[in-house]
Amino acid sequence: MPARIQIVENILSANDELAARNRAAFDRAGVLALNLMASPGAGKTSLILRTLEALRGRVRLGVIEGDLASSIDTDRARAAGIPAFQINTGGQCHLDAVMVQAAMHELPLAQLDVVIIENVGNLVCPIEFRLGSHLSVLIASIPEGDDKPYKYPSAYRGVQALVVNKVDLLPYVPFRMDYFREGVEALNPGLVTFPLSCRTGEGLAAWADWLVARVTENRSPAAH
Amino acid sequence: MPARIQIVENILSANDELAARNRAAFDRAGVLALNLMASPGAGKTSLILRTLEALRGRVRLGVIEGDLASSIDTDRARAAGIPAFQINTGGQCHLDAVMVQAAMHELPLAQLDVVIIENVGNLVCPIEFRLGSHLSVLIASIPEGDDKPYKYPSAYRGVQALVVNKVDLLPYVPFRMDYFREGVEALNPGLVTFPLSCRTGEGLAAWADWLVARVTENRSPAAH
C-alpha cells in the first residue's frame, strides 16, 4: 500500500476512535449531537438561530462553531443567548474529533439537550471526518443551483436529513426542484427533506418538530 | 519536524515543480491560463459561458473543468462550442498540477489564447495547490453573504481579481457591500473587483475587457 494512503488511513482511524469517545460523552450527558454541514453561505448559522427561536422552552440548545478564522458566528449565537464555543481551524478545511473534544469541555453539557456542531463551510472534506455526532444534516441552498447532488455526491450520501434553505429566492433564480430531488433520491433514497427559508421563517416548524422528536427519542431509556 | 507536516510539504513541493512545468508549456503555446475558484454554486461555469459570448471573435477560449463527479459543466461548455476537458477528481477536494497536466494534453493549445481552469467548488483547499496558471480569480456570490472575506481569508488573499456574481439578487438578500469591501481591502488591498450578474449580463463587459487586456499583455513579446 502506498505510504500516503496508509498515513491518511491512520489519521482517519485515530479520528474515528476519538469520535467514538466524544459520542460516549454526549450520551452520558444525555445530549443529542448534530453535525451541520453545507457550502459557505448556505445558511448554517441562520438555521441555528432560527432553530433556537423555534425550540425555546422545549429544548435546550448549545453550539460549537467551526470556521477557518473569525468569531462572527459565535458572537451571533451568544448574542441570541445560546451557549457557544468557537473553533478556529487555522486553515484546516473541516472539523475533526480532537477539535470537538476540546470544545465540548467548554460547554455546560449537563444543562443541554442538543448540541449543533457547525462544520467549516465546505461540501467535500467535512464528510470524511467523524466528530462523534448522532446525526449529520446537510443544508443545500436554492441559489447554489439544482445540480449540486450530481457534483458533490458524498455530501448527500452521508446525511440523515437535508434542509433546502432560501426557498424565498425560488422566483429569482433558475432551479428545477424535480431535477434536484431526483439527484438526491438516487444518492440517499427517502432522505427526510425540509424546504424552508431562514429569512421568512417558511417551513421552519416542520424542521424544528423533527428535531424535537429526535431529542425525545434520545432522552428515552432505550436510546442508549 | 513532525512526519505529517514533512509529508505535506513534500507533496506541495512536488506539486509546485510540476506546476512550473505546466506554466512553461502554457507560455510556449502563448496561452494565458486562469485558475477560477469559488464556493459550490457561485457561478463558475456560468461565468465561463458568459465570458465566451463576450470574447467571441476577440479571444479563443478553452476550458478545463474540475469536479468531484459528473460531466455537467463540460457538457455545457462543449454545447456552447468551447474546447473543454473534464477532470473528475474522484473525491479530491481540489485540482492539482498533475491533473491539469493531463488535461492540457487533451486541449488544442496552439489554437487557443486563454484556458480557464475551473477548480472544484471549495473556498479552502484549492488555494494551496498551484496549477501552473498565470492568474487566479475568485468568484464571490451575493447570496453567500457579506462575511465571507472574514471567514475564508486565504481565498481572498491569493487572487489577482475578484468577481462578485449575482448582483441581481441584491434586492432580495441582506448584503452590506461596504462591510464586504472592507473585508476584501484588508486582505488584498486594491484588488480589482467586478460586480456582475451572469444571469442578467450586467457588469460583464468590464470583466471581459479586463481579460482581453491580460491576453494582449500575454501575447506581447515582453511577456515571457
Side-chain angles (χ1 to χ4, degrees):
Chain A
M1 187 180 292
R4 193 185 168 191
I5 292 179
Q6 183 62 56
I7 286 162
V8 170
E9 286 185 355
N10 289 350
I11 292 169
L12 285 173
S13 134
N15 184 74
D16 280 358
E17 261 176 52
L18 196 50
R21 272 192 260 165
N22 291 348
R23 169 84 168 246
F26 281 125
D27 284 342
R28 277 194 303 277
V31 167
L32 182 78
L34 195 153
N35 180 6
L36 186 60
M37 295 178 282
S39 300
K44 295 183 291 303
T45 308
S46 299
L47 182 68
I48 288 171
L49 297 177
R50 281 295 202 170
T51 303
L52 175 77
E53 284 172 26
L55 299 186
R56 212 184 284 274
R58 294 197 280 172
V59 160
R60 298 164 301 173
L61 177 66
V63 177
I64 297 173
E65 296 283 354
D67 276 300
L68 301 192
S70 91
S71 63
I72 294 172
D73 291 344
T74 294
D75 297 344
R76 288 177 69 191
R78 287 187 182 149
I82 314 179
F85 184 79
Q86 180 79 45
I87 300 172
N88 279 151
T89 67
Q92 189 171 297
C93 50
H94 58 84
L95 294 182
D96 61 30
V98 180
M99 295 174 176
V100 169
Q101 185 191 40
M104 287 169 73
H105 290 304
E106 305 293 328
L107 287 179
L109 288 188
Q111 298 157 41
L112 300 176
D113 302 303
V114 188
V115 168
I116 300 183
I117 306 167
E118 181 180 333
N119 220 310
V120 176
N122 183 328
L123 274 190
V124 189
C125 316
I127 321 297
E128 294 184 42
F129 287 79
R130 288 185 195 160
L131 306 181
S133 60
H134 300 84
L135 295 170
S136 294
V137 176
L138 178 69
I139 308 180
S141 162
I142 296 298
E144 283 171 23
D146 51 27
D147 58 359
K148 294 302 159 289
Y150 303 91
K151 289 183 173 176
Y152 302 87
S154 56
Y156 285 81
R157 262 195 215 105
V159 296
Q160 283 78 49
L162 173 65
V163 168
V164 184
N165 190 21
K166 308 194 191 183
V167 294
D168 56 301
L169 293 179
L170 275 169
Y172 312 113
V173 299
F175 190 99
R176 296 158 296 178
M177 191 60 87
D178 287 352
Y179 178 66
F180 176 79
R181 282 184 183 278
E182 275 167 31
V184 174
E185 185 64 20
L187 295 163
N188 197 330
L191 180 63
V192 55
T193 300
F194 301 100
L196 56 79
S197 166
C198 289
R199 191 158 153 71
T200 67
E202 178 190 347
L204 272 150
W207 153 255
D209 289 346
W210 179 84
L211 189 55
V212 170
R214 299 293 78 71
V215 170
T216 308
E217 276 175 16
N218 191 56
R219 275 180 193 146
S220 76
H224 303 305
Chain B
M1 188 178 290
R4 192 186 169 189
I5 292 179
Q6 184 60 57
I7 286 162
V8 169
E9 286 185 356
N10 288 349
I11 291 169
L12 285 173
S13 134
N15 184 75
D16 280 358
E17 263 177 51
L18 197 51
R21 273 192 257 165
N22 290 348
R23 169 85 169 246
F26 280 126
D27 284 342
R28 279 194 302 278
V31 167
L32 181 78
L34 194 153
N35 180 8
L36 187 60
M37 295 178 283
S39 299
K44 295 182 292 302
T45 308
S46 300
L47 182 68
I48 289 171
L49 297 177
R50 280 295 201 169
T51 304
L52 175 77
E53 284 172 26
L55 299 187
R56 213 184 283 274
R58 294 196 278 172
V59 160
R60 298 164 302 172
L61 177 66
V63 177
I64 296 173
E65 296 283 355
D67 277 302
L68 301 192
S70 91
S71 64
I72 294 172
D73 291 346
T74 294
D75 297 344
R76 287 177 70 191
R78 286 188 181 148
I82 314 180
F85 184 78
Q86 179 79 43
I87 299 172
N88 279 150
T89 68
Q92 189 170 298
C93 50
H94 58 85
L95 294 182
D96 61 29
V98 180
M99 294 173 176
V100 169
Q101 185 190 42
M104 288 169 72
H105 290 305
E106 305 293 329
L107 288 178
L109 289 188
Q111 299 157 40
L112 299 175
D113 301 304
V114 188
V115 168
I116 300 182
I117 306 167
E118 181 180 333
N119 220 311
V120 175
N122 184 328
L123 273 191
V124 191
C125 316
I127 320 297
E128 294 186 41
F129 287 80
R130 289 185 194 159
L131 306 180
S133 60
H134 300 84
L135 295 171
S136 293
V137 176
L138 179 69
I139 309 180
S141 162
I142 295 297
E144 282 171 23
D146 51 27
D147 57 0
K148 293 303 159 289
Y150 302 90
K151 289 184 173 176
Y152 301 88
S154 56
Y156 285 80
R157 263 195 213 104
V159 297
Q160 284 78 48
L162 173 65
V163 168
V164 184
N165 190 22
K166 309 194 190 182
V167 294
D168 56 301
L169 294 180
L170 275 169
Y172 311 114
V173 299
F175 190 99
R176 296 158 295 178
M177 190 60 86
D178 287 352
Y179 178 66
F180 176 79
R181 283 185 183 279
E182 274 167 32
V184 175
E185 185 64 19
L187 295 164
N188 196 330
L191 180 64
V192 55
T193 300
F194 302 99
L196 54 79
S197 165
C198 289
R199 190 160 153 73
T200 67
E202 178 189 348
L204 272 151
W207 153 255
D209 289 346
W210 179 84
L211 190 54
V212 169
R214 300 292 79 72
V215 170
T216 307
E217 276 176 15
N218 191 56
R219 277 182 192 142
S220 77
H224 304 306

